[in-house]
Amino acid sequence: NLARNNSVSPKQLIINSKTQSEELQGRRTAEQQAEIERIGKAETYCRLDRDDELFTWLNDQRDLRLCGYIVATRGSGLAKSCEYYRLAHVRRRGSLFEIPATVFYVEMLQRGKGTDLYQAILSEFGHPLATLGKLSNLRSRTWDNLKRYGVQILIIGKADYLKLEALNELIDLYDNLRISVILAGSHYLEAILGRNHPAYVQVCNSFLEWYEFHLLTWEDVAKVIQDWEEKFLTLQNRLNLTQYPEVIET
């Protein structure tokens, strides 16, 4: 009984949390509140030369309607750059994309076949039937959405998760829609596309163009640190970390 009387409902927890937040906000000065709002609106992404070089290559692939692949060391930030490239070309309202959505980026979350590929694309579109139906149904829905949204380049993140069936689906998609298809993944993707096996000949011949996304240089790290300090720290609170080589080199 005592435990029951001391228990707090989830609704009460939400009310208490909201009340505490309001009390904390009430204790802030107008200057502190303005600074918090400024930080919340700041752009967290620092665009570097390596991003511009990648974007130029992607633009060429899109304009020429070519297929290809990008390889990068895990942790290099390739996914973030691809997402930023999409954001630069496509607007999103809530969970839905505005038309046209010329650049479409989706990341594979698990190893899979054609059904997994199409389910991932449809889920990114926010389609209500993203996981329902057979392969033929999912294929039809995906192709219809790509055409309806005016997609010109389709970028598949973690493409080394794709099995042969899914890769062949992408080849058929390109042949029918003439949309540039770009595979993005680790260096293992090179081994997959270069397999000396008759079943992979068509795949290898379809994704001939390639690009390597490089790791950050020391100069890049310094630029990111300086950008972070300028955006998120006030002038009197800046640490000037770029003046210390041991910080950048670690």
Side-chain angles (χ1 to χ4, degrees):
N1 292 336
L2 181 60
R4 187 181 300 113
N5 292 335
N6 289 336
S7 63
V8 181
S9 67
K11 182 177 181 181
Q12 187 62 44
L13 285 173
I14 294 174
I15 294 174
N16 292 343
S17 177
K18 183 178 181 181
T19 302
Q20 291 174 0
S21 178
E22 291 174 348
E23 290 177 353
L24 181 61
Q25 185 171 344
R27 291 197 296 267
R28 298 186 188 124
T29 65
E31 183 179 357
Q32 289 173 331
Q33 186 62 33
E35 182 65 11
I36 290 172
E37 293 176 0
R38 182 192 68 79
I39 292 174
K41 295 177 182 178
E43 173 58 62
T44 59
Y45 187 77
C46 179
R47 184 166 172 171
L48 302 170
D49 290 342
R50 66 170 190 164
D51 299 308
D52 291 329
E53 293 169 1
L54 171 64
F55 299 162
T56 297
W57 185 82
L58 288 171
N59 288 337
D60 290 342
Q61 301 304 110
R62 180 196 62 200
D63 295 342
L64 297 173
R65 298 184 180 183
L66 296 175
C67 293
Y69 64 97
I70 310 167
V71 293
T73 302
R74 291 204 181 277
S76 63
L78 175 58
K80 187 68 176 179
S81 293
C82 289
E83 181 65 21
Y84 187 86
Y85 179 73
R86 181 192 66 78
L87 289 172
H89 294 83
V90 180
R91 291 184 178 182
R92 199 165 188 167
R93 184 175 299 174
S95 61
L96 301 177
F97 293 95
E98 294 186 3
I99 298 176
T102 55
V103 176
F104 196 83
Y105 173 74
V106 63
E107 191 170 283
M108 298 300 299
L109 300 179
Q110 62 183 9
R111 301 188 186 279
K113 300 181 180 180
T115 52
D116 301 290
L117 169 67
Y118 290 134
Q119 286 176 359
I121 296 174
L122 290 170
S123 295
E124 186 67 19
F125 269 120
H127 197 286
L129 303 177
T131 59
L132 299 179
K134 299 179 180 180
L135 175 60
S136 57
N137 304 123
L138 295 169
R139 180 191 299 119
S140 177
R141 270 182 227 132
T142 301
W143 290 15
D144 287 344
N145 270 264
L146 292 171
K147 288 187 290 185
R148 185 161 65 91
Y149 279 86
V151 175
Q152 297 177 0
I153 181 169
L154 172 63
I155 306 172
I156 310 294
K158 292 186 178 178
D160 39 308
Y161 283 0
L162 296 175
K163 295 184 178 180
L164 179 60
E165 177 192 306
L167 293 171
N168 282 320
E169 286 289 340
L170 288 173
I171 294 173
D172 290 340
L173 185 153
Y174 170 74
D175 289 340
N176 284 272
L177 303 184
R178 307 309 292 179
I179 292 174
S180 175
V181 178
I182 303 298
L183 307 177
S186 68
H187 286 278
Y188 179 57
L189 185 59
E190 289 180 292
I192 294 174
L193 298 177
R195 281 180 177 171
N196 187 20
H197 190 283
Y200 282 84
V201 171
Q202 185 179 10
V203 174
C204 181
N205 291 336
S206 298
F207 297 94
L208 296 174
E209 301 290 324
W210 69 280
Y211 185 90
E212 183 173 7
F213 188 70
H214 298 288
L215 291 169
L216 292 172
T217 63
W218 300 128
E219 291 78 10
D220 291 334
V221 174
K223 184 176 180 179
V224 170
I225 292 175
Q226 183 175 352
D227 181 77
W228 175 80
E229 289 203 28
E230 291 176 354
K231 287 179 179 177
F232 299 103
L233 299 179
T234 58
L235 185 60
Q236 60 271 26
N237 292 324
R238 288 178 190 168
L239 305 174
N240 297 316
L241 294 175
T242 54
Q243 296 179 3
Y244 305 96
E246 61 273 15
V247 173
I248 297 175
E249 293 176 4
T250 55

mmCIF file of all heavy atoms in Angstrom, residues 192-210:
data_model
loop_
_atom_site.group_PDB
_atom_site.id
_atom_site.type_symbol
_atom_site.label_atom_id
_atom_site.label_comp_id
_atom_site.label_asym_id
_atom_site.label_seq_id
_atom_site.Cartn_x
_atom_site.Cartn_y
_atom_site.Cartn_z
ATOM 1 N N ILE A 192 32.939 -6.055 -52.962
ATOM 2 C CA ILE A 192 31.661 -6.608 -53.417
ATOM 3 C C ILE A 192 31.476 -6.366 -54.915
ATOM 4 O O ILE A 192 31.131 -7.275 -55.674
ATOM 5 C CB ILE A 192 30.495 -5.984 -52.635
ATOM 6 C CG1 ILE A 192 30.561 -6.393 -51.156
ATOM 7 C CG2 ILE A 192 29.155 -6.398 -53.231
ATOM 8 C CD1 ILE A 192 29.536 -5.713 -50.292
ATOM 9 N N LEU A 193 31.713 -5.132 -55.342
ATOM 10 C CA LEU A 193 31.496 -4.776 -56.746
ATOM 11 C C LEU A 193 32.563 -5.388 -57.661
ATOM 12 O O LEU A 193 32.341 -5.513 -58.870
ATOM 13 C CB LEU A 193 31.491 -3.253 -56.897
ATOM 14 C CG LEU A 193 30.374 -2.520 -56.141
ATOM 15 C CD1 LEU A 193 30.512 -1.010 -56.311
ATOM 16 C CD2 LEU A 193 29.003 -2.979 -56.633
ATOM 17 N N GLY A 194 33.693 -5.754 -57.094
ATOM 18 C CA GLY A 194 34.771 -6.300 -57.916
ATOM 19 C C GLY A 194 34.906 -7.807 -57.837
ATOM 20 O O GLY A 194 35.938 -8.357 -58.247
ATOM 21 N N ARG A 195 33.887 -8.467 -57.312
ATOM 22 C CA ARG A 195 33.958 -9.919 -57.176
ATOM 23 C C ARG A 195 34.111 -10.600 -58.538
ATOM 24 O O ARG A 195 33.411 -10.280 -59.494
ATOM 25 C CB ARG A 195 32.704 -10.447 -56.484
ATOM 26 C CG ARG A 195 32.726 -10.250 -54.974
ATOM 27 C CD ARG A 195 31.470 -10.773 -54.322
ATOM 28 N NE ARG A 195 31.543 -10.631 -52.871
ATOM 29 C CZ ARG A 195 30.528 -10.839 -52.048
ATOM 30 N NH1 ARG A 195 29.354 -11.212 -52.530
ATOM 31 N NH2 ARG A 195 30.670 -10.687 -50.746
ATOM 32 N N ASN A 196 35.041 -11.527 -58.594
ATOM 33 C CA ASN A 196 35.293 -12.271 -59.836
ATOM 34 C C ASN A 196 34.336 -13.465 -59.900
ATOM 35 O O ASN A 196 34.722 -14.615 -59.708
ATOM 36 C CB ASN A 196 36.756 -12.728 -59.870
ATOM 37 C CG ASN A 196 37.120 -13.363 -61.194
ATOM 38 O OD1 ASN A 196 36.434 -13.139 -62.204
ATOM 39 N ND2 ASN A 196 38.171 -14.166 -61.190
ATOM 40 N N HIS A 197 33.088 -13.133 -60.162
ATOM 41 C CA HIS A 197 32.053 -14.167 -60.207
ATOM 42 C C HIS A 197 31.062 -13.780 -61.299
ATOM 43 O O HIS A 197 30.681 -12.609 -61.428
ATOM 44 C CB HIS A 197 31.340 -14.258 -58.858
ATOM 45 C CG HIS A 197 30.424 -15.444 -58.744
ATOM 46 N ND1 HIS A 197 29.177 -15.478 -59.337
ATOM 47 C CD2 HIS A 197 30.583 -16.642 -58.116
ATOM 48 C CE1 HIS A 197 28.593 -16.638 -59.068
ATOM 49 N NE2 HIS A 197 29.422 -17.357 -58.332
ATOM 50 N N PRO A 198 30.625 -14.730 -62.123
ATOM 51 C CA PRO A 198 29.700 -14.410 -63.225
ATOM 52 C C PRO A 198 28.445 -13.662 -62.782
ATOM 53 O O PRO A 198 27.933 -12.815 -63.514
ATOM 54 C CB PRO A 198 29.347 -15.802 -63.784
ATOM 55 C CG PRO A 198 30.518 -16.665 -63.434
ATOM 56 C CD PRO A 198 31.010 -16.158 -62.111
ATOM 57 N N ALA A 199 27.968 -13.939 -61.570
ATOM 58 C CA ALA A 199 26.741 -13.299 -61.099
ATOM 59 C C ALA A 199 26.929 -11.810 -60.855
ATOM 60 O O ALA A 199 25.953 -11.053 -60.826
ATOM 61 C CB ALA A 199 26.258 -13.982 -59.816
ATOM 62 N N TYR A 200 28.171 -11.363 -60.678
ATOM 63 C CA TYR A 200 28.431 -9.959 -60.354
ATOM 64 C C TYR A 200 28.929 -9.149 -61.552
ATOM 65 O O TYR A 200 29.255 -7.975 -61.410
ATOM 66 C CB TYR A 200 29.452 -9.858 -59.216
ATOM 67 C CG TYR A 200 28.860 -10.120 -57.857
ATOM 68 C CD1 TYR A 200 28.706 -11.420 -57.388
ATOM 69 C CD2 TYR A 200 28.441 -9.068 -57.045
ATOM 70 C CE1 TYR A 200 28.157 -11.673 -56.133
ATOM 71 C CE2 TYR A 200 27.886 -9.302 -55.796
ATOM 72 C CZ TYR A 200 27.746 -10.611 -55.345
ATOM 73 O OH TYR A 200 27.191 -10.860 -54.104
ATOM 74 N N VAL A 201 28.998 -9.771 -62.721
ATOM 75 C CA VAL A 201 29.501 -9.070 -63.899
ATOM 76 C C VAL A 201 28.636 -7.860 -64.226
ATOM 77 O O VAL A 201 29.134 -6.746 -64.462
ATOM 78 C CB VAL A 201 29.569 -10.023 -65.114
ATOM 79 C CG1 VAL A 201 29.877 -9.237 -66.388
ATOM 80 C CG2 VAL A 201 30.611 -11.104 -64.887
ATOM 81 N N GLN A 202 27.320 -8.041 -64.253
ATOM 82 C CA GLN A 202 26.411 -6.944 -64.574
ATOM 83 C C GLN A 202 26.500 -5.839 -63.524
ATOM 84 O O GLN A 202 26.450 -4.648 -63.859
ATOM 85 C CB GLN A 202 24.969 -7.440 -64.669
ATOM 86 C CG GLN A 202 23.990 -6.361 -65.115
ATOM 87 C CD GLN A 202 22.564 -6.871 -65.225
ATOM 88 O OE1 GLN A 202 22.263 -7.975 -64.798
ATOM 89 N NE2 GLN A 202 21.675 -6.064 -65.783
ATOM 90 N N VAL A 203 26.634 -6.217 -62.264
ATOM 91 C CA VAL A 203 26.746 -5.234 -61.187
ATOM 92 C C VAL A 203 28.014 -4.410 -61.352
ATOM 93 O O VAL A 203 27.993 -3.176 -61.263
ATOM 94 C CB VAL A 203 26.742 -5.931 -59.806
ATOM 95 C CG1 VAL A 203 27.013 -4.919 -58.698
ATOM 96 C CG2 VAL A 203 25.424 -6.636 -59.568
ATOM 97 N N CYS A 204 29.117 -5.096 -61.599
ATOM 98 C CA CYS A 204 30.400 -4.411 -61.773
ATOM 99 C C CYS A 204 30.365 -3.445 -62.949
ATOM 100 O O CYS A 204 30.870 -2.326 -62.874
ATOM 101 C CB CYS A 204 31.504 -5.449 -61.954
ATOM 102 S SG CYS A 204 33.150 -4.755 -62.146
ATOM 103 N N ASN A 205 29.736 -3.864 -64.055
ATOM 104 C CA ASN A 205 29.669 -3.024 -65.248
ATOM 105 C C ASN A 205 28.688 -1.861 -65.113
ATOM 106 O O ASN A 205 28.753 -0.897 -65.884
ATOM 107 C CB ASN A 205 29.262 -3.873 -66.460
ATOM 108 C CG ASN A 205 30.358 -4.845 -66.864
ATOM 109 O OD1 ASN A 205 31.537 -4.623 -66.582
ATOM 110 N ND2 ASN A 205 29.978 -5.937 -67.518
ATOM 111 N N SER A 206 27.798 -1.950 -64.140
ATOM 112 C CA SER A 206 26.798 -0.894 -63.963
ATOM 113 C C SER A 206 27.287 0.223 -63.056
ATOM 114 O O SER A 206 26.845 1.367 -63.176
ATOM 115 C CB SER A 206 25.505 -1.485 -63.381
ATOM 116 O OG SER A 206 24.939 -2.440 -64.265
ATOM 117 N N PHE A 207 28.199 -0.099 -62.144
ATOM 118 C CA PHE A 207 28.709 0.903 -61.200
ATOM 119 C C PHE A 207 30.209 1.079 -61.422
ATOM 120 O O PHE A 207 31.030 0.591 -60.646
ATOM 121 C CB PHE A 207 28.420 0.463 -59.755
ATOM 122 C CG PHE A 207 26.956 0.357 -59.434
ATOM 123 C CD1 PHE A 207 26.287 -0.853 -59.554
ATOM 124 C CD2 PHE A 207 26.233 1.477 -59.032
ATOM 125 C CE1 PHE A 207 24.934 -0.961 -59.269
ATOM 126 C CE2 PHE A 207 24.884 1.389 -58.739
ATOM 127 C CZ PHE A 207 24.229 0.167 -58.868
ATOM 128 N N LEU A 208 30.533 1.782 -62.496
ATOM 129 C CA LEU A 208 31.930 1.943 -62.887
ATOM 130 C C LEU A 208 32.552 3.197 -62.280
ATOM 131 O O LEU A 208 33.734 3.199 -61.911
ATOM 132 C CB LEU A 208 32.050 1.993 -64.410
ATOM 133 C CG LEU A 208 31.640 0.714 -65.151
ATOM 134 C CD1 LEU A 208 31.671 0.948 -66.659
ATOM 135 C CD2 LEU A 208 32.553 -0.449 -64.770
ATOM 136 N N GLU A 209 31.778 4.280 -62.199
ATOM 137 C CA GLU A 209 32.299 5.527 -61.643
ATOM 138 C C GLU A 209 32.466 5.384 -60.132
ATOM 139 O O GLU A 209 31.612 4.802 -59.460
ATOM 140 C CB GLU A 209 31.334 6.678 -61.947
ATOM 141 C CG GLU A 209 31.066 6.907 -63.427
ATOM 142 C CD GLU A 209 32.281 7.470 -64.135
ATOM 143 O OE1 GLU A 209 33.003 8.282 -63.507
ATOM 144 O OE2 GLU A 209 32.507 7.105 -65.299
ATOM 145 N N TRP A 210 33.555 5.914 -59.583
ATOM 146 C CA TRP A 210 33.745 5.790 -58.142
ATOM 147 C C TRP A 210 34.422 7.027 -57.579
ATOM 148 O O TRP A 210 35.048 7.809 -58.286
ATOM 149 C CB TRP A 210 34.560 4.540 -57.811
ATOM 150 C CG TRP A 210 35.996 4.613 -58.232
ATOM 151 C CD1 TRP A 210 36.495 4.413 -59.498
ATOM 152 C CD2 TRP A 210 37.105 4.929 -57.398
ATOM 153 N NE1 TRP A 210 37.844 4.580 -59.503
ATOM 154 C CE2 TRP A 210 38.256 4.887 -58.226
ATOM 155 C CE3 TRP A 210 37.254 5.221 -56.050
ATOM 156 C CZ2 TRP A 210 39.533 5.155 -57.728
ATOM 157 C CZ3 TRP A 210 38.522 5.474 -55.543
ATOM 158 C CH2 TRP A 210 39.646 5.442 -56.393
#
